[in-house]
Amino acid sequence: MTLREVFSSIANAIRSKTGKTATIKPVDMATEIESIQAGGGENKLPQLVDGSITTVTANDLAGVTKIRSYAFAFSKITNITFPDSLTEIGQYSIYFCSSLTSITIPANVTSIGGYAFSNCSSLTSITIPANVTSIGGGAFFYCSSLTSINIPDSVTSISSDTFGFCSSLTQITIPANVTSIGGSALQIGSSTNKATITMKPTTPPQISSNTFTTSKLNKIIVPVGCGDTYKSATNWSNFADYIEEATAWLQKSFLEQEKMV
């Protein structure tokens, strides 16, 4: 995502919150964000923007099944606990919540919208529930403090930008059922703290030429016996020098984990 696209998405979020239609200049965005008064079905929202309330509990959202787009965007919230009734988290719903440090996603959630948690620079870890099948593009884009993420076996595709620019994320395991990974989706780590990406699929998922970035990449571990297949696959060949097969011990560990699921 370019800087222009970032500004554009912020402007769209502001317009969605305020009902304005006019062009918003980048220099005016800070003032516009400060003036937002949140609204909608979720309780406590008016106080989240001015900072007088920083926590939302499951009781506050009792009975809610979907968090609408931009619901908590730009707020000063520090932690959210969603109710068990929740099944869907809308796009940009927790966008640019720079103070958010923790969040609990209930097991009934099956869909996480595009850029849902993006630019949450204080978020350090999150566990995606086992029923999630769809993670929207850029869902965790620019979560620069994120160090831990668990992707359930139910996930079959990872969209573009999903973990892009998560510079503190240096270890990630891709489930066996994943068949496609979008552009910039796994551009994690940094030039000084490079990432190790472990692939569990025995058939190389479809990727883009920029799914990874070599300047931030330590290695890509693939299943035993699949090294040559990955190295010769479309676009994977660009990263052949970083691909190595799992050790027998690691492969056994994978199989044991799958038996316990």
Side-chain angles (χ1 to χ4, degrees), residues 16 22 25 38 45 101 108 128 143 164 183 215 234 236 241 252 256:
S16 175
K25 297 179 180 179
L45 285 182
T101 58
N108 291 325
I128 301 173
C143 290
S215 63
T234 301
W236 284 98
D241 291 344
K252 181 181 178 182
E256 289 175 348

Side-chain angles (χ1 to χ4, degrees), residues 23-242:
T23 299
I24 300 173
K25 297 179 180 179
V27 71
D28 297 327
M29 285 182 176
T31 301
E32 291 285 349
I33 291 170
E34 287 295 327
S35 69
I36 290 174
Q37 293 298 308
E42 296 80 11
N43 296 331
K44 291 189 176 182
L45 285 182
Q47 291 77 38
L48 288 171
V49 172
D50 64 21
S52 59
I53 289 178
T54 58
T55 299
V56 170
T57 69
N59 286 336
D60 296 321
L61 301 172
V64 170
T65 59
K66 177 182 178 180
I67 301 300
R68 62 177 173 79
S69 298
Y70 300 105
F72 299 99
F74 303 113
S75 72
K76 297 178 181 179
I77 195 166
T78 60
N79 57 78
I80 306 173
T81 301
F82 290 125
D84 291 339
S85 56
L86 191 69
T87 60
E88 183 178 349
I89 299 175
Q91 63 178 358
Y92 296 97
S93 56
I94 311 170
Y95 183 62
F96 262 98
C97 294
S98 59
S99 298
L100 182 67
T101 58
S102 67
I103 189 166
T104 301
I105 301 176
N108 291 325
V109 170
T110 59
S111 177
I112 299 174
Y115 295 90
F117 301 95
S118 61
N119 290 275
C120 292
S121 56
S122 297
L123 188 64
T124 58
S125 67
I126 193 164
T127 298
I128 301 173
N131 290 326
V132 169
T133 58
S134 172
I135 303 175
F140 301 95
F141 187 71
Y142 257 114
C143 290
S144 56
S145 296
L146 187 67
T147 59
S148 175
I149 186 77
N150 175 64
I151 306 174
D153 290 339
S154 53
V155 172
T156 59
S157 65
I158 298 174
S159 301
S160 299
D161 292 335
T162 297
F163 300 105
F165 294 94
C166 290
S167 55
S168 298
L169 186 61
T170 59
Q171 300 279 343
I172 194 168
T173 298
I174 306 304
N177 294 324
V178 170
T179 60
S180 65
I181 305 172
S184 302
L186 294 177
Q187 290 191 2
I188 62 175
S190 67
S191 58
T192 56
N193 201 13
K194 297 188 177 185
T196 295
I197 298 167
T198 301
M199 303 296 303
K200 294 175 72 174
T202 53
T203 299
Q206 294 181 350
I207 65 170
S208 298
S209 59
N210 66 337
T211 291
F212 315 98
T213 181
T214 56
S215 63
K216 303 176 183 179
L217 191 58
N218 177 30
K219 58 184 174 181
I220 302 171
I221 301 174
V222 303
V224 172
C226 298
D228 290 341
T229 303
Y230 268 85
K231 289 178 181 180
S232 62
T234 301
N235 289 326
W236 284 98
S237 57
N238 298 335
F239 308 100
D241 291 344
Y242 297 87

